Amino acid sequence: RLLQKSCGGNNSHLAERICHSCFRRQDKLQRCGQCKFAHYCDRTCQRAGWAEHKQECSAIKTFGKAPNENIRLVARILWRLDKEGGVVSDMQLTTLEELEDHICDMQEDEMKEFKVDIHNFLDYWPRNSKQHTIDVISHIFGVINCNGFSVSDQRGLQAVGVGLFLNLCLVNHNCWPNCTVILNHGNQSAVNTMFHSQRRIELRALGKIEEGEELTVSYVDYLNLSEERQRHLKTQYFFECTCEHCKNKTKDDLKMAGREKDGVKPTEEQVKEASDYCYQMMDKIEKARLNGDYHEVVKLCRGCIEKAEPVLADTHIYLLRIYSTMSEVQSYLQYFEEAADYARKMVEGYVKLYHPNNAALGMAAMRAGVTHWQAGLIEVGHGMICKAYAILMVTHGPTHPITKDLDAMRVQTEMELRMFKENEYVYHSMREAALKNKPMTMMHEPKSVEEGIKDLFHRRK
């Protein structure tokens, strides 16, 4: 059960592109005439979101601006608690008061930011709303810090806010989990509300689970080394991971391995030198990306690949991050053949590292499939899309918008593949004519290297 969620965060650009009711991403949205912050697809979405937005709208208008996502989420939670009490559903297994806030475990710099948030919250909280003690407010902030869930857009492609799901807070972590968590926004945009479906959080099994086996999810990305995952879990969630993959450092050797060619392996010094070089270059690549200098990003990635690829294995996580960035940027610049090549290499590496039903692997395969299709490489493209569809049917389920999109792509590429096998010349001629009549739209601007595979859970800023 969703206790509450907040959309838009601190990014005004995102707040203006994401509907605050159905979470669809669109370039042109209607802005709330009162607070000037919330945006909606149309009046149908605005009416559907009004119950949640009503008090927030007045508070933002009085405050003069929208505060950060955590402050807005705490306010929404308190308004809901004041209205409905601590139990919001018969299916609820715990209460907000029972969850740990770990305030006493915070580092000094984190505590400073924490106190600033509380101070700003007190300025934001309306005088005509029920007043709460500092202890109650602090507890909710603390719970969000270590239990907040990243809320994605309607298609599940980009994190756009933060939410708190009480039952989900009871699910423990494992670096190689047997479940995954997906937010399904349902459908609230139909004109007739009888056709609306509820927004819900879904805990989905990744495979067969034995009776009595604990359900687990991963709080962090498995693509990181064991030591890095443990550090992040200790800092963000205040516990030490003792799962088998951390204890045995499973696949850490693959993630930092050298490339073997004709039975010859590079020396440890050569691997370390190439690894260090990639690590340093990733920082420069990220700075160029933030500046919007994508041709410089390509230049830096290409230089890094030329130097590191002969030395580092195809499972080396730094090389995979460079492949991911290169593929995304080249797609954005519409150099689709080169983008497809790097997307394929990225997926081939991921397959050797991730759980076969990992959502990040499925999303990467989808991206690679689309990129191959854009490049006119229909055979590989269709295969990648089918692979992605099989994974996302497990991780997201058949009713999720991204799975429906993939199913449509799968049907289309299958039809195109049959046409291609019957007559390649006719296929390419029809494809070129179609693209001339309806040019491909530019992809969204490339995300950072770290954003390529997002954590399930909200990360403290």
Side-chain angles (χ1 to χ4, degrees):
R1 171 76 181 195
L2 172 67
L3 177 59
Q4 200 49 267
K5 50 104 175 87
S6 170
C7 173
N10 300 320
N11 191 329
S12 60
H13 175 73
L14 268 183
E16 294 169 5
R17 298 291 182 88
I18 303 292
C19 175
H20 287 218
S21 177
C22 72
F23 284 69
R24 280 188 176 87
R25 183 184 181 117
Q26 297 191 55
D27 289 334
K28 291 184 179 180
L29 294 169
Q30 296 178 12
R31 186 173 66 171
C32 174
Q34 295 297 313
C35 67
K36 314 294 185 188
F37 174 72
H39 287 71
Y40 301 96
C41 297
D42 49 33
R43 289 196 177 278
T44 301
C45 279
Q46 189 168 8
R47 282 194 295 268
W50 180 242
E52 285 186 346
H53 180 58
K54 182 178 179 180
Q55 289 170 294
E56 179 183 69
C57 181
S58 176
I60 291 173
K61 185 178 178 182
T62 303
F63 190 57
K65 63 178 182 179
N68 70 39
E69 58 186 7
N70 280 8
I71 292 172
R72 289 174 46 234
L73 181 56
V74 171
R76 284 186 167 213
I77 288 171
L78 284 172
W79 281 319
R80 186 162 181 180
L81 289 174
D82 292 343
K83 181 181 178 181
E84 301 180 16
V87 179
V88 297
S89 167
D90 293 338
M91 302 292 289
Q92 189 174 316
L93 302 175
T94 187
T95 64
L96 193 60
E97 292 76 17
E98 292 171 330
L99 296 174
E100 291 282 346
D101 57 31
H102 289 287
I103 294 173
C104 60
D105 297 318
M106 288 185 181
Q107 300 295 318
E108 186 178 349
D109 57 338
E110 294 170 343
M111 185 57 73
K112 285 180 181 177
E113 292 179 15
F114 188 76
K115 289 179 177 178
V116 168
D117 270 352
I118 292 173
H119 175 79
N120 290 335
F121 173 85
L122 294 172
D123 287 341
Y124 171 68
W125 185 249
R127 299 293 174 259
N128 60 350
S129 291
K130 180 182 176 181
Q131 299 302 302
H132 297 270
T133 66
I134 294 293
D135 286 345
V136 169
I137 296 166
S138 299
H139 175 70
I140 298 175
F141 270 106
V143 170
I144 291 171
N145 276 340
C146 53
N147 288 283
F149 180 87
S150 291
V151 175
S152 63
D153 61 9
Q154 206 257 358
R155 294 180 67 223
L157 296 176
Q158 183 169 24
V160 296
V162 58
L164 189 63
F165 303 84
L166 294 180
N167 287 353
L168 178 61
C169 299
L170 301 177
V171 183
N172 285 327
H173 163 85
N174 191 300
C175 290
W176 198 261
N178 55 20
C179 294
T180 190
V181 177
I182 294 297
L183 179 61
N184 191 329
H185 286 288
N187 174 25
Q188 296 86 36
S189 60
V191 175
N192 191 332
T193 55
M194 72 174 289
F195 295 114
H196 287 191
S197 55
Q198 189 180 23
R199 181 179 291 116
R200 63 192 182 275
I201 195 79
E202 296 178 351
L203 182 66
R204 304 185 61 86
L206 296 177
K208 185 179 179 181
I209 299 175
E210 299 296 332
E211 184 178 348
E213 184 181 348
E214 182 183 10
L215 305 181
T216 58
V217 297
S218 180
Y219 296 179
V220 294
D221 182 16
Y222 184 71
L223 212 61
N224 293 312
L225 296 171
S226 303
E227 187 178 334
E228 175 63 19
R229 295 199 307 272
Q230 288 180 313
R231 185 197 62 77
H232 177 52
L233 290 166
K234 183 69 174 176
T235 303
Q236 176 85 37
Y237 304 105
F238 307 102
F239 71 88
E240 292 181 6
C241 183
T242 57
C243 76
E244 292 299 314
H245 279 248
C246 279
K247 283 194 294 187
N248 300 328
K249 299 187 182 299
T250 308
K251 299 197 178 186
D252 278 9
D253 54 342
L254 286 175
K255 294 174 186 177
M256 298 299 287
R259 183 180 298 268
E260 183 176 342
K261 187 175 181 180
D262 300 328
V264 180
K265 295 182 179 180
T267 64
E268 287 186 14
E269 284 187 6
Q270 288 174 319
V271 173
K272 185 179 184 307
E273 182 184 348
S275 300
D276 291 345
Y277 178 75
C278 283
Y279 188 80
Q280 293 166 5
M281 291 300 290
M282 284 194 295
D283 187 50
K284 293 180 180 179
I285 290 166
E286 178 62 6
K287 286 178 181 176
R289 186 200 65 83
L290 288 172
N291 291 331
D293 190 352
Y294 297 125
H295 291 286
E296 179 65 13
V297 171
V298 170
K299 180 182 175 183
L300 291 170
C301 285
R302 189 167 280 133
C304 189
I305 290 168
E306 285 176 2
K307 182 167 182 175
E309 201 171 47
V311 180
L312 303 182
D314 60 358
T315 54
H316 196 290
I317 53 176
Y318 296 167
L319 194 56
L320 290 175
R321 286 170 184 165
I322 300 294
Y323 287 160
S324 176
T325 302
M326 187 66 155
S327 168
E328 198 165 356
V329 171
Q330 288 294 62
S331 289
Y332 179 72
L333 297 175
Q334 299 200 8
Y335 295 108
F336 294 121
E337 285 194 28
E338 189 173 10
D341 185 47
Y342 289 116
R344 177 186 53 77
K345 290 179 179 180
M346 173 185 68
V347 171
E348 287 173 352
Y350 286 0
V351 166
K352 296 175 183 178
L353 297 176
Y354 275 125
H355 185 288
N357 282 331
N358 185 285
L361 172 59
M363 298 298 277
M366 180 185 73
R367 197 174 106 194
V370 171
T371 307
H372 279 80
W373 175 83
Q374 289 169 321
L377 304 170
I378 188 64
E379 290 180 284
V380 178
H382 177 67
M384 287 283 188
I385 286 170
C386 288
K387 180 179 183 63
Y389 180 71
I391 295 171
L392 266 62
M393 277 291 285
V394 175
T395 61
H396 289 60
T399 65
H400 196 282
I402 195 68
T403 315
K404 290 180 178 179
D405 285 351
L406 260 176
D407 192 26
M409 288 184 214
R410 183 175 63 88
V411 171
Q412 180 181 334
T413 54
E414 185 176 8
M415 178 186 68
E416 291 187 19
L417 181 58
R418 282 201 302 267
M419 188 187 300
F420 172 80
K421 288 181 176 178
E422 287 172 6
N423 193 316
E424 288 187 33
Y425 176 77
V426 171
Y427 166 75
H428 286 295
S429 298
M430 291 182 67
R431 175 184 170 81
E432 286 177 19
L435 293 177
K436 284 178 182 177
N437 292 331
K438 188 179 178 182
M440 289 183 191
T441 54
M442 294 284 276
M443 295 180 67
H444 296 311
E445 290 196 38
K447 300 182 289 292
S448 70
V449 172
E450 293 300 324
E451 282 181 303
I453 306 166
K454 294 180 285 293
D455 293 336
L456 283 175
F457 292 85
H458 176 62
R459 302 180 89 167
R460 277 203 309 274
K461 298 293 187 279

